[in-house]
Coordinates of all heavy atoms in Angstrom, one line a residue:
M21 N 0.3 -19.3 -12.3 CA -0.6 -19.2 -11.1 C -0.7 -17.8 -10.7 O 0.2 -17.0 -10.8 CB 0.0 -20.0 -10.0 CG 0.0 -21.5 -10.2 SD -1.6 -22.2 -10.1 CE -1.7 -23.2 -11.5
D22 N -1.9 -17.4 -10.2 CA -2.1 -16.1 -9.6 C -1.5 -16.0 -8.2 O -1.0 -14.9 -7.9 CB -3.6 -15.8 -9.6 CG -4.1 -15.5 -10.9 OD1 -3.4 -15.2 -11.9 OD2 -5.4 -15.6 -11.1
W23 N -1.6 -17.0 -7.4 CA -1.2 -17.0 -6.0 C -0.4 -18.2 -5.7 O -0.6 -19.3 -6.2 CB -2.4 -16.8 -5.1 CG -3.2 -15.6 -5.4 CD1 -4.3 -15.5 -6.1 CD2 -2.9 -14.3 -4.9 NE1 -4.7 -14.2 -6.2 CE2 -3.8 -13.4 -5.4 CE3 -1.9 -13.8 -4.1 CZ2 -3.8 -12.1 -5.2 CZ3 -1.9 -12.4 -3.9 CH2 -2.9 -11.6 -4.4
Y24 N 0.6 -18.0 -4.8 CA 1.4 -19.1 -4.2 C 1.2 -19.1 -2.7 O 1.3 -18.1 -2.1 CB 2.8 -18.9 -4.6 CG 3.0 -19.0 -6.1 CD1 2.8 -17.9 -6.9 CD2 3.4 -20.2 -6.7 CE1 3.0 -18.0 -8.3 CE2 3.5 -20.3 -8.1 CZ 3.3 -19.2 -8.9 OH 3.5 -19.3 -10.2
V25 N 1.0 -20.3 -2.2 CA 0.8 -20.4 -0.7 C 1.8 -21.5 -0.2 O 1.9 -22.6 -0.7 CB -0.7 -20.9 -0.4 CG1 -0.9 -21.1 1.1 CG2 -1.7 -19.9 -1.0
I26 N 2.4 -21.1 0.9 CA 3.3 -22.0 1.6 C 2.7 -22.2 3.0 O 2.4 -21.3 3.7 CB 4.7 -21.4 1.8 CG1 5.4 -21.1 0.5 CG2 5.6 -22.3 2.7 CD1 6.7 -20.3 0.6
I27 N 2.5 -23.5 3.3 CA 1.8 -23.8 4.6 C 2.5 -25.1 5.1 O 2.8 -26.0 4.4 CB 0.3 -24.0 4.4 CG1 -0.4 -24.0 5.7 CG2 -0.1 -25.1 3.5 CD1 -0.5 -22.7 6.4
D28 N 2.7 -25.1 6.4 CA 3.3 -26.3 7.0 C 2.2 -27.4 7.2 O 1.0 -27.1 7.2 CB 3.8 -26.0 8.4 CG 5.2 -25.2 8.4 OD1 5.7 -25.1 7.2 OD2 5.7 -24.9 9.4
A29 N 2.7 -28.6 7.3 CA 1.8 -29.8 7.3 C 0.9 -29.8 8.6 O -0.2 -30.4 8.6 CB 2.5 -31.1 7.3
D30 N 1.3 -29.1 9.6 CA 0.5 -29.1 10.9 C -0.5 -27.9 11.0 O -1.0 -27.6 12.0 CB 1.4 -29.1 12.1 CG 2.3 -27.9 12.2 OD1 2.4 -27.1 11.2 OD2 3.0 -27.8 13.3
S31 N -0.6 -27.2 9.8 CA -1.6 -26.0 9.8 C -2.7 -26.3 8.9 O -2.6 -27.2 8.0 CB -0.8 -24.8 9.3 OG 0.2 -24.4 10.1
Y32 N -3.8 -25.6 9.0 CA -5.0 -25.8 8.2 C -5.4 -24.5 7.6 O -5.4 -23.5 8.2 CB -6.1 -26.4 9.0 CG -7.3 -26.7 8.2 CD1 -7.4 -27.9 7.5 CD2 -8.4 -25.9 8.1 CE1 -8.5 -28.3 6.8 CE2 -9.5 -26.2 7.4 CZ -9.5 -27.4 6.7 OH -10.6 -27.7 5.9
I33 N -5.8 -24.6 6.3 CA -6.3 -23.5 5.6 C -7.8 -23.7 5.2 O -8.1 -24.8 4.7 CB -5.5 -23.2 4.3 CG1 -4.1 -22.8 4.6 CG2 -6.2 -22.2 3.4 CD1 -3.2 -22.7 3.3
F34 N -8.6 -22.7 5.4 CA -10.0 -22.8 5.0 C -10.0 -22.3 3.5 O -10.0 -21.1 3.3 CB -10.9 -21.9 5.9 CG -11.1 -22.5 7.2 CD1 -10.3 -22.1 8.3 CD2 -12.1 -23.4 7.4 CE1 -10.5 -22.6 9.5 CE2 -12.3 -24.0 8.7 CZ -11.5 -23.6 9.8
W35 N -9.8 -23.2 2.6 CA -9.6 -22.8 1.2 C -10.7 -22.0 0.6 O -10.4 -21.0 -0.1 CB -9.4 -24.1 0.3 CG -8.1 -24.7 0.6 CD1 -7.8 -25.9 1.2 CD2 -6.8 -24.1 0.2 NE1 -6.4 -26.1 1.3 CE2 -5.8 -25.0 0.7 CE3 -6.4 -22.9 -0.4 CZ2 -4.4 -24.8 0.5 CZ3 -5.0 -22.7 -0.6 CH2 -4.1 -23.6 -0.1
P36 N -12.0 -22.2 0.9 CA -13.1 -21.4 0.3 C -12.9 -19.9 0.8 O -13.0 -19.0 -0.1 CB -14.4 -22.0 0.8 CG -14.1 -23.4 1.1 CD -12.6 -23.4 1.6
N37 N -12.6 -19.7 2.0 CA -12.4 -18.3 2.5 C -11.2 -17.7 2.0 O -11.2 -16.5 1.6 CB -12.3 -18.3 4.1 CG -13.6 -18.7 4.7 OD1 -14.7 -18.7 4.1 ND2 -13.6 -18.9 6.0
T38 N -10.1 -18.5 1.9 CA -8.9 -18.0 1.3 C -9.0 -17.6 -0.1 O -8.6 -16.5 -0.6 CB -7.7 -19.0 1.4 OG1 -7.6 -19.4 2.8 CG2 -6.4 -18.5 0.9
A39 N -9.7 -18.4 -0.9 CA -10.0 -18.1 -2.3 C -10.9 -16.8 -2.5 O -10.6 -16.0 -3.3 CB -10.7 -19.3 -3.0
L40 N -11.9 -16.7 -1.6 CA -12.7 -15.5 -1.6 C -11.9 -14.2 -1.3 O -12.0 -13.2 -2.0 CB -13.8 -15.6 -0.6 CG -15.0 -16.4 -1.1 CD1 -16.0 -16.6 0.1 CD2 -15.8 -15.7 -2.2
W41 N -11.1 -14.3 -0.3 CA -10.2 -13.2 0.1 C -9.2 -12.8 -1.0 O -9.1 -11.7 -1.3 CB -9.5 -13.6 1.4 CG -8.5 -12.6 1.9 CD1 -8.8 -11.3 2.3 CD2 -7.1 -12.7 2.0 NE1 -7.6 -10.7 2.7 CE2 -6.5 -11.5 2.5 CE3 -6.2 -13.8 1.8 CZ2 -5.2 -11.4 2.7 CZ3 -4.9 -13.6 2.0 CH2 -4.4 -12.4 2.5
L42 N -8.5 -13.8 -1.6 CA -7.6 -13.5 -2.6 C -8.3 -13.0 -3.9 O -7.7 -12.2 -4.6 CB -6.8 -14.8 -3.0 CG -5.8 -15.2 -1.9 CD1 -5.1 -16.5 -2.3 CD2 -4.7 -14.1 -1.6
G43 N -9.5 -13.3 -4.1 CA -10.3 -12.8 -5.2 C -10.5 -11.3 -5.1 O -10.9 -10.7 -6.1
T44 N -10.3 -10.7 -3.9 CA -10.5 -9.3 -3.8 C -9.2 -8.5 -4.1 O -9.2 -7.3 -4.1 CB -11.0 -8.9 -2.4 OG1 -9.9 -9.2 -1.4 CG2 -12.2 -9.7 -2.0
M45 N -8.2 -9.2 -4.4 CA -6.9 -8.6 -4.6 C -6.4 -8.9 -6.0 O -6.7 -9.9 -6.6 CB -5.9 -9.0 -3.6 CG -6.2 -8.5 -2.2 SD -5.1 -9.0 -1.0 CE -5.9 -10.6 -0.5
D46 N -5.5 -8.1 -6.5 CA -4.9 -8.2 -7.9 C -3.6 -8.9 -7.8 O -2.6 -8.4 -7.2 CB -4.7 -6.8 -8.5 CG -4.3 -6.8 -9.9 OD1 -3.9 -7.9 -10.4 OD2 -4.2 -5.8 -10.5
P47 N -3.5 -10.1 -8.4 CA -2.2 -10.9 -8.3 C -1.1 -10.2 -9.2 O 0.1 -10.7 -9.1 CB -2.5 -12.3 -8.9 CG -3.7 -12.0 -9.8 CD -4.5 -10.9 -9.1
N48 N -1.4 -9.2 -9.9 CA -0.4 -8.4 -10.7 C 0.2 -7.4 -9.9 O 1.1 -6.6 -10.4 CB -1.1 -7.9 -11.9 CG -1.6 -9.0 -12.9 OD1 -0.8 -9.9 -13.2 ND2 -2.8 -8.9 -13.2
L49 N -0.2 -7.2 -8.6 CA 0.5 -6.3 -7.7 C 1.4 -7.2 -6.8 O 1.2 -8.4 -6.6 CB -0.5 -5.6 -6.8 CG -1.5 -4.7 -7.7 CD1 -2.5 -4.0 -6.7 CD2 -0.7 -3.6 -8.4
K50 N 2.3 -6.5 -6.1 CA 3.3 -7.2 -5.3 C 2.8 -7.5 -3.9 O 2.8 -6.5 -3.1 CB 4.6 -6.5 -5.3 CG 5.2 -6.4 -6.7 CD 6.4 -5.4 -6.8 CE 6.9 -5.3 -8.2 NZ 7.8 -4.2 -8.4
F51 N 2.4 -8.7 -3.6 CA 1.9 -9.1 -2.3 C 2.7 -10.2 -1.7 O 3.0 -11.2 -2.4 CB 0.4 -9.5 -2.4 CG -0.6 -8.4 -2.6 CD1 -1.3 -8.4 -3.8 CD2 -0.8 -7.4 -1.7 CE1 -2.2 -7.4 -4.0 CE2 -1.7 -6.4 -1.9 CZ -2.4 -6.4 -3.1
Y52 N 3.1 -10.0 -0.5 CA 3.8 -11.1 0.3 C 3.2 -11.0 1.7 O 3.4 -10.0 2.5 CB 5.3 -10.7 0.3 CG 6.1 -11.4 1.3 CD1 6.2 -12.7 1.5 CD2 6.9 -10.6 2.2 CE1 7.1 -13.3 2.4 CE2 7.8 -11.1 3.1 CZ 7.9 -12.5 3.2 OH 8.7 -13.1 4.1
F53 N 2.3 -11.9 2.0 CA 1.5 -11.9 3.3 C 2.0 -13.0 4.2 O 2.3 -14.1 3.8 CB 0.0 -12.1 3.0 CG -0.7 -11.1 2.2 CD1 -1.2 -11.5 0.9 CD2 -0.8 -9.8 2.6 CE1 -1.9 -10.6 0.1 CE2 -1.5 -8.9 1.8 CZ -2.0 -9.3 0.6
G54 N 1.9 -12.7 5.5 CA 2.1 -13.7 6.5 C 2.2 -13.1 7.9 O 2.1 -11.9 8.0
S55 N 2.2 -14.0 8.8 CA 2.3 -13.5 10.2 C 3.8 -13.1 10.5 O 4.7 -13.9 10.3 CB 1.9 -14.6 11.2 OG 2.1 -14.2 12.5
A56 N 4.0 -11.8 10.8 CA 5.3 -11.3 10.9 C 6.0 -11.8 12.2 O 5.4 -11.8 13.3 CB 5.3 -9.8 10.9
V57 N 7.3 -12.2 12.1 CA 8.1 -12.5 13.2 C 9.5 -11.8 13.0 O 9.8 -11.4 11.9 CB 8.3 -14.0 13.4 CG1 7.0 -14.7 13.7 CG2 9.0 -14.6 12.2
N58 N 10.2 -11.7 14.1 CA 11.6 -11.1 14.0 C 12.6 -12.1 14.5 O 12.4 -12.7 15.6 CB 11.7 -9.9 14.9 CG 10.9 -8.7 14.3 OD1 11.3 -8.2 13.2 ND2 9.9 -8.2 15.0
V59 N 13.6 -12.3 13.8 CA 14.7 -13.2 14.2 C 16.0 -12.4 13.9 O 16.2 -12.0 12.7 CB 14.7 -14.6 13.4 CG1 16.0 -15.3 13.7 CG2 13.5 -15.4 13.8
A60 N 16.8 -12.3 14.9 CA 18.1 -11.6 14.7 C 17.9 -10.2 14.0 O 18.7 -9.9 13.1 CB 19.1 -12.5 13.9
G61 N 16.9 -9.5 14.3 CA 16.6 -8.2 13.7 C 16.0 -8.2 12.4 O 15.9 -7.1 11.8
E62 N 15.7 -9.4 11.8 CA 15.1 -9.4 10.5 C 13.6 -9.8 10.6 O 13.3 -10.7 11.3 CB 15.8 -10.5 9.6 CG 17.2 -10.2 9.3 CD 17.4 -9.0 8.4 OE1 16.5 -8.6 7.7 OE2 18.6 -8.5 8.3
R63 N 12.8 -9.0 10.0 CA 11.3 -9.2 10.0 C 10.9 -10.0 8.7 O 11.3 -9.6 7.6 CB 10.6 -7.9 10.1 CG 9.2 -8.0 10.3 CD 8.6 -6.6 10.7 NE 7.2 -6.8 11.1 CZ 6.2 -6.2 10.4 NH1 6.5 -5.4 9.4 NH2 5.0 -6.4 10.8
F64 N 10.2 -11.0 8.9 CA 9.7 -11.8 7.8 C 8.4 -12.6 8.1 O 8.0 -12.6 9.3 CB 10.8 -12.9 7.4 CG 11.1 -13.9 8.5 CD1 10.5 -15.1 8.5 CD2 12.0 -13.6 9.5 CE1 10.8 -16.1 9.4 CE2 12.3 -14.5 10.5 CZ 11.7 -15.7 10.5
A65 N 7.8 -13.1 7.1 CA 6.5 -13.9 7.3 C 6.9 -15.3 7.7 O 7.7 -16.0 7.0 CB 5.7 -13.9 6.0
H66 N 6.3 -15.7 8.8 CA 6.6 -17.0 9.4 C 5.9 -18.1 8.6 O 4.7 -18.1 8.4 CB 6.1 -17.0 10.8 CG 6.4 -18.3 11.5 ND1 5.5 -19.2 11.8 CD2 7.6 -18.8 12.0 CE1 6.0 -20.3 12.4 NE2 7.3 -20.0 12.6
G67 N 6.7 -19.1 8.1 CA 6.2 -20.2 7.3 C 5.2 -21.1 8.0 O 4.3 -21.6 7.4
G68 N 5.4 -21.3 9.3 CA 4.5 -22.1 10.1 C 3.1 -21.6 10.1 O 2.1 -22.3 10.2
S69 N 2.9 -20.3 10.0 CA 1.6 -19.6 10.0 C 1.1 -19.5 8.6 O -0.1 -19.2 8.4 CB 1.7 -18.2 10.6 OG 2.3 -18.3 11.9
G70 N 1.9 -19.7 7.6 CA 1.5 -19.6 6.2 C 2.0 -18.4 5.6 O 2.1 -17.3 6.2
I71 N 2.3 -18.5 4.3 CA 2.8 -17.4 3.5 C 2.0 -17.4 2.2 O 1.9 -18.4 1.6 CB 4.3 -17.5 3.2 CG1 5.1 -17.5 4.5 CG2 4.8 -16.4 2.3 CD1 6.6 -17.8 4.4
V72 N 1.6 -16.2 1.8 CA 0.9 -16.1 0.5 C 1.6 -15.0 -0.3 O 2.0 -14.0 0.2 CB -0.6 -15.6 0.7 CG1 -1.3 -15.4 -0.6 CG2 -1.4 -16.6 1.6
M73 N 1.9 -15.4 -1.6 CA 2.6 -14.5 -2.4 C 1.9 -14.4 -3.8 O 1.4 -15.4 -4.3 CB 4.0 -15.0 -2.7 CG 4.8 -15.2 -1.5 SD 6.3 -16.3 -1.7 CE 5.5 -17.9 -2.0
S74 N 1.8 -13.2 -4.3 CA 1.2 -13.0 -5.6 C 2.1 -13.4 -6.7 O 3.4 -13.5 -6.5 CB 0.8 -11.5 -5.8 OG 2.0 -10.7 -5.8
R75 N 1.6 -13.6 -7.9 CA 2.4 -13.9 -9.1 C 3.5 -13.0 -9.3 O 4.7 -13.5 -9.5 CB 1.4 -13.9 -10.3 CG 2.2 -14.1 -11.6 CD 1.3 -14.0 -12.8 NE -0.1 -14.0 -12.5 CZ -1.1 -13.4 -13.0 NH1 -0.8 -12.6 -14.0 NH2 -2.3 -13.5 -12.7
V76 N 3.3 -11.7 -9.3 CA 4.3 -10.7 -9.5 C 5.4 -10.8 -8.5 O 6.6 -10.7 -8.8 CB 3.7 -9.3 -9.7 CG1 4.8 -8.3 -9.8 CG2 2.8 -9.3 -10.9
A77 N 5.0 -11.0 -7.2 CA 6.0 -11.1 -6.2 C 7.0 -12.3 -6.4 O 8.2 -12.2 -6.2 CB 5.3 -11.2 -4.8
V78 N 6.4 -13.4 -6.7 CA 7.2 -14.6 -7.0 C 8.1 -14.4 -8.2 O 9.3 -14.7 -8.1 CB 6.3 -15.8 -7.1 CG1 7.1 -17.0 -7.6 CG2 5.6 -16.2 -5.8
Y79 N 7.6 -13.8 -9.2 CA 8.4 -13.5 -10.4 C 9.6 -12.6 -10.1 O 10.7 -12.8 -10.7 CB 7.6 -12.9 -11.5 CG 6.6 -13.9 -12.2 CD1 6.5 -15.2 -11.8 CD2 5.8 -13.4 -13.2 CE1 5.5 -16.0 -12.4 CE2 4.9 -14.3 -13.8 CZ 4.7 -15.6 -13.4 OH 3.9 -16.4 -14.0
D80 N 9.4 -11.7 -9.2 CA 10.5 -10.8 -8.8 C 11.7 -11.5 -8.1 O 12.8 -11.1 -8.3 CB 10.0 -9.8 -7.8 CG 9.3 -8.6 -8.4 OD1 9.4 -8.5 -9.7 OD2 8.7 -7.8 -7.7
I81 N 11.4 -12.6 -7.4 CA 12.5 -13.3 -6.7 C 13.0 -14.5 -7.4 O 14.1 -15.1 -7.0 CB 12.2 -13.5 -5.2 CG1 11.0 -14.5 -5.1 CG2 11.9 -12.2 -4.5 CD1 10.9 -15.1 -3.7
V82 N 12.3 -15.1 -8.3 CA 12.7 -16.3 -9.0 C 14.1 -16.2 -9.5 O 14.9 -17.2 -9.4 CB 11.7 -16.7 -10.0 CG1 12.2 -17.8 -11.0 CG2 10.4 -17.3 -9.4
G83 N 14.4 -15.2 -10.1 CA 15.8 -15.0 -10.7 C 16.9 -15.0 -9.7 O 18.0 -15.3 -10.1
T84 N 16.6 -14.8 -8.5 CA 17.6 -14.7 -7.4 C 17.6 -16.0 -6.6 O 18.5 -16.1 -5.7 CB 17.5 -13.5 -6.5 OG1 16.3 -13.6 -5.7 CG2 17.4 -12.2 -7.3
A85 N 16.8 -16.9 -6.9 CA 16.6 -18.1 -6.0 C 17.9 -18.9 -5.8 O 18.3 -19.3 -4.7 CB 15.5 -19.0 -6.5
A86 N 18.6 -19.1 -6.8 CA 19.9 -19.9 -6.7 C 20.9 -19.3 -5.8 O 21.6 -20.0 -5.1 CB 20.5 -20.2 -8.1
R87 N 20.9 -18.0 -5.8 CA 21.8 -17.2 -5.0 C 21.5 -17.4 -3.5 O 22.4 -17.3 -2.6 CB 21.8 -15.8 -5.3 CG 22.9 -14.9 -4.7 CD 23.0 -13.6 -5.4 NE 21.8 -12.8 -5.2 CZ 21.5 -12.0 -4.2 NH1 22.4 -12.0 -3.2 NH2 20.4 -11.3 -4.1
W88 N 20.3 -17.8 -3.1 CA 19.9 -17.9 -1.8 C 20.0 -19.4 -1.2 O 19.9 -19.6 -0.1 CB 18.5 -17.4 -1.6 CG 18.5 -15.9 -1.7 CD1 18.2 -15.2 -2.8 CD2 18.8 -15.0 -0.7 NE1 18.3 -13.9 -2.5 CE2 18.7 -13.7 -1.2 CE3 19.3 -15.1 0.6 CZ2 19.0 -12.6 -0.5 CZ3 19.6 -14.0 1.4 CH2 19.4 -12.7 0.8
D89 N 20.3 -20.3 -2.1 CA 20.4 -21.7 -1.7 C 21.4 -21.9 -0.6 O 21.1 -22.7 0.4 CB 20.7 -22.6 -2.9 CG 19.5 -22.8 -3.8 OD1 18.4 -22.5 -3.4 OD2 19.7 -23.3 -5.0
S90 N 22.5 -21.4 -0.7 CA 23.6 -21.6 0.3 C 23.2 -21.0 1.6 O 23.7 -21.4 2.7 CB 24.9 -21.0 -0.2 OG 24.8 -19.6 -0.4
N91 N 22.4 -20.0 1.7 CA 22.0 -19.3 2.9 C 21.0 -20.2 3.8 O 20.9 -19.9 5.0 CB 21.3 -18.0 2.6 CG 22.3 -17.0 2.2 OD1 23.2 -16.6 2.9 ND2 22.1 -16.5 0.9
I92 N 20.4 -21.2 3.2 CA 19.5 -22.0 3.9 C 20.2 -22.7 5.1 O 19.6 -22.7 6.2 CB 18.9 -23.1 3.0 CG1 18.0 -22.4 1.9 CG2 18.0 -24.1 3.7 CD1 16.7 -21.9 2.3
R93 N 21.4 -23.1 4.9 CA 22.1 -23.8 6.0 C 22.5 -22.9 7.1 O 22.8 -23.3 8.2 CB 23.3 -24.6 5.4 CG 22.8 -25.8 4.6 CD 24.0 -26.6 4.1 NE 23.6 -27.7 3.3 CZ 23.6 -27.7 2.0 NH1 24.0 -26.6 1.3 NH2 23.2 -28.8 1.3
E94 N 22.7 -21.6 6.7 CA 23.2 -20.6 7.7 C 22.1 -20.0 8.5 O 22.4 -19.3 9.5 CB 24.0 -19.6 7.0 CG 25.2 -20.1 6.2 CD 25.7 -19.0 5.2 OE1 25.3 -17.8 5.4 OE2 26.5 -19.4 4.4
R95 N 20.9 -20.2 8.1 CA 19.7 -19.5 8.8 C 18.8 -20.5 9.5 O 18.8 -21.6 9.2 CB 18.9 -18.7 7.7 CG 19.7 -17.7 6.9 CD 20.2 -16.6 7.8 NE 21.0 -15.7 6.9 CZ 21.3 -14.5 7.2 NH1 20.8 -14.0 8.4 NH2 22.0 -13.7 6.4
C96 N 18.0 -19.9 10.4 CA 17.1 -20.8 11.2 C 16.0 -21.5 10.4 O 15.6 -22.5 10.8 CB 16.5 -20.0 12.4 SG 15.3 -18.8 11.8
C97 N 15.6 -20.8 9.4 CA 14.4 -21.3 8.7 C 14.2 -20.7 7.3 O 14.7 -19.7 7.0 CB 13.1 -21.0 9.5 SG 13.1 -19.3 10.2
G98 N 13.5 -21.5 6.5 CA 13.3 -21.1 5.1 C 12.5 -19.8 5.0 O 12.7 -19.1 4.0
G99 N 11.6 -19.6 5.9 CA 10.8 -18.4 5.8 C 11.7 -17.1 6.0 O 11.4 -16.1 5.3
L100 N 12.7 -17.2 6.8 CA 13.6 -16.1 7.0 C 14.4 -15.9 5.7 O 14.5 -14.7 5.2 CB 14.6 -16.4 8.1 CG 15.8 -15.4 8.2 CD1 15.3 -14.0 8.4 CD2 16.7 -15.8 9.4
V101 N 14.9 -16.9 5.0 CA 15.6 -16.8 3.8 C 14.7 -16.2 2.7 O 15.1 -15.3 1.9 CB 16.2 -18.1 3.3 CG1 16.9 -18.0 2.0 CG2 17.2 -18.6 4.4
L102 N 13.4 -16.7 2.6 CA 12.5 -16.1 1.7 C 12.3 -14.6 1.9 O 12.3 -13.8 1.0 CB 11.2 -16.9 1.8 CG 10.1 -16.4 0.8 CD1 10.5 -16.6 -0.7 CD2 8.8 -17.1 1.1
G103 N 12.1 -14.2 3.2 CA 12.0 -12.8 3.5 C 13.2 -12.0 3.1 O 13.0 -10.9 2.6
L104 N 14.4 -12.5 3.4 CA 15.6 -11.8 3.0 C 15.7 -11.7 1.4 O 16.1 -10.7 0.9 CB 16.8 -12.6 3.5 CG 17.0 -12.5 5.0 CD1 18.1 -13.5 5.4 CD2 17.3 -11.1 5.5
A105 N 15.2 -12.7 0.7 CA 15.2 -12.6 -0.7 C 14.2 -11.5 -1.2 O 14.6 -10.7 -2.1 CB 14.8 -13.9 -1.4
F106 N 13.1 -11.4 -0.6 CA 12.2 -10.3 -0.9 C 12.8 -9.0 -0.6 O 12.7 -8.0 -1.3 CB 10.8 -10.4 -0.2 CG 9.9 -11.3 -0.9 CD1 9.5 -12.5 -0.4 CD2 9.4 -11.0 -2.2 CE1 8.6 -13.3 -1.1 CE2 8.5 -11.8 -2.8 CZ 8.1 -13.0 -2.3
K107 N 13.4 -8.9 0.6 CA 14.1 -7.6 1.0 C 15.2 -7.3 0.0 O 15.4 -6.1 -0.3 CB 14.7 -7.8 2.4 CG 15.3 -6.6 3.0 CD 15.8 -6.9 4.4 CE 16.5 -5.7 5.0 NZ 17.0 -5.9 6.3
D108 N 15.9 -8.3 -0.5 CA 17.0 -8.0 -1.4 C 16.5 -7.5 -2.8 O 17.3 -6.8 -3.4 CB 17.7 -9.3 -1.7 CG 19.0 -9.1 -2.5 OD1 19.8 -8.3 -2.0 OD2 19.2 -9.8 -3.5
T109 N 15.3 -7.7 -3.1 CA 14.8 -7.1 -4.4 C 14.6 -5.6 -4.3 O 14.4 -5.0 -5.3 CB 13.4 -7.7 -4.8 OG1 12.4 -7.4 -3.8 CG2 13.5 -9.2 -4.9
R110 N 14.7 -5.1 -3.1 CA 14.6 -3.7 -2.8 C 13.2 -3.1 -3.2 O 13.1 -2.0 -3.6 CB 15.7 -2.9 -3.5 CG 17.1 -3.3 -2.9 CD 18.1 -2.3 -3.3 NE 19.5 -2.6 -3.1 CZ 20.1 -3.4 -2.2 NH1 19.4 -4.1 -1.4 NH2 21.4 -3.5 -2.1
L111 N 12.3 -4.0 -3.2 CA 10.9 -3.6 -3.6 C 10.1 -3.4 -2.3 O 10.5 -4.0 -1.2 CB 10.3 -4.6 -4.5 CG 11.0 -4.7 -5.8 CD1 10.5 -5.9 -6.6 CD2 10.9 -3.5 -6.7
N112 N 9.0 -2.8 -2.3 CA 8.2 -2.5 -1.2 C 7.2 -3.6 -0.9 O 6.2 -3.6 -1.5 CB 7.5 -1.2 -1.3 CG 6.8 -0.7 -0.1 OD1 7.1 -1.2 1.0 ND2 5.9 0.2 -0.2
Y113 N 7.6 -4.5 0.0 CA 6.6 -5.6 0.4 C 6.2 -5.4 1.8 O 7.0 -4.9 2.6 CB 7.3 -7.0 0.3 CG 7.6 -7.4 -1.2 CD1 8.8 -7.1 -1.7 CD2 6.6 -8.0 -1.9 CE1 9.1 -7.5 -3.0 CE2 6.8 -8.3 -3.2 CZ 8.1 -8.1 -3.8 OH 8.3 -8.4 -5.1
R114 N 5.0 -5.7 2.1 CA 4.4 -5.5 3.4 C 4.2 -6.9 4.0 O 3.5 -7.7 3.4 CB 3.2 -4.7 3.3 CG 2.6 -4.4 4.7 CD 1.5 -3.4 4.6 NE 1.0 -3.1 5.9 CZ 0.1 -2.3 6.1 NH1 -0.5 -1.6 5.2 NH2 -0.3 -2.1 7.4
I115 N 4.6 -7.0 5.3 CA 4.4 -8.3 6.0 C 3.4 -8.0 7.1 O 3.4 -7.0 7.7 CB 5.8 -8.7 6.6 CG1 6.8 -8.9 5.5 CG2 5.6 -10.1 7.3 CD1 8.2 -9.0 6.1
G116 N 2.6 -9.0 7.3 CA 1.7 -9.0 8.4 C 0.3 -8.4 8.0 O 0.0 -8.2 6.8
G117 N -0.4 -8.1 9.0 CA -1.8 -7.5 8.8 C -1.8 -6.1 8.4 O -0.9 -5.7 7.7
R118 N -2.6 -5.3 8.9 CA -2.9 -3.9 8.6 C -1.7 -3.2 8.0 O -0.8 -2.7 8.2 CB -3.3 -3.2 9.8 CG -4.5 -4.0 10.3 CD -5.1 -3.4 11.6 NE -6.2 -4.1 11.9 CZ -6.4 -4.9 13.0 NH1 -5.4 -4.9 13.9 NH2 -7.4 -5.6 13.2

């Protein structure tokens, strides 16, 4: 897949607009988009607002996924653990708008 989207069941995506917008970007670049929130000093994309990740971004963290499983129980939310996994790759990901 070129793009991966995480969205909560109580949110709605306008798929035609989302597809048009993503069509303007290269999935071979490292993208991790979402509405930024801070919890305990950690900034991450909030899952309830939706998270979009490019192919390359997902490939970067897939190898570390098992290492993060135990952290799910210790943290408030999956979006935070996902953000920490991206941060752990020590790659430059940008969260939020502009």
Side-chain angles (χ1 to χ4, degrees):
M21 294 286 132
D22 286 342
W23 298 98
Y24 295 85
V25 178
I26 298 171
I27 191 76
D28 284 357
D30 62 349
S31 299
Y32 184 81
I33 294 177
F34 290 94
W35 288 111
N37 291 351
T38 303
L40 281 171
W41 175 63
L42 290 174
T44 67
M45 291 177 273
D46 185 353
N48 296 307
L49 298 176
K50 297 169 183 168
F51 288 113
Y52 163 57
F53 298 116
S55 178
V57 295
N58 288 297
V59 171
E62 296 292 343
R63 189 166 186 242
F64 63 97
H66 183 255
S69 304
I71 298 171
V72 179
M73 301 165 289
S74 66
R75 172 185 344 146
V76 173
V78 171
Y79 288 0
D80 278 349
I81 64 165
V82 163
T84 67
R87 192 164 63 84
W88 289 97
D89 286 347
S90 63
N91 288 296
I92 296 282
R93 290 187 180 97
E94 300 168 12
R95 305 295 180 158
C96 72
C97 45
L100 171 58
V101 176
L102 181 63
L104 291 171
F106 275 114
K107 183 178 178 182
D108 188 53
T109 64
R110 299 196 189 332
L111 299 168
N112 188 17
Y113 290 95
R114 186 171 178 175
I115 304 166
R118 307 181 178 115

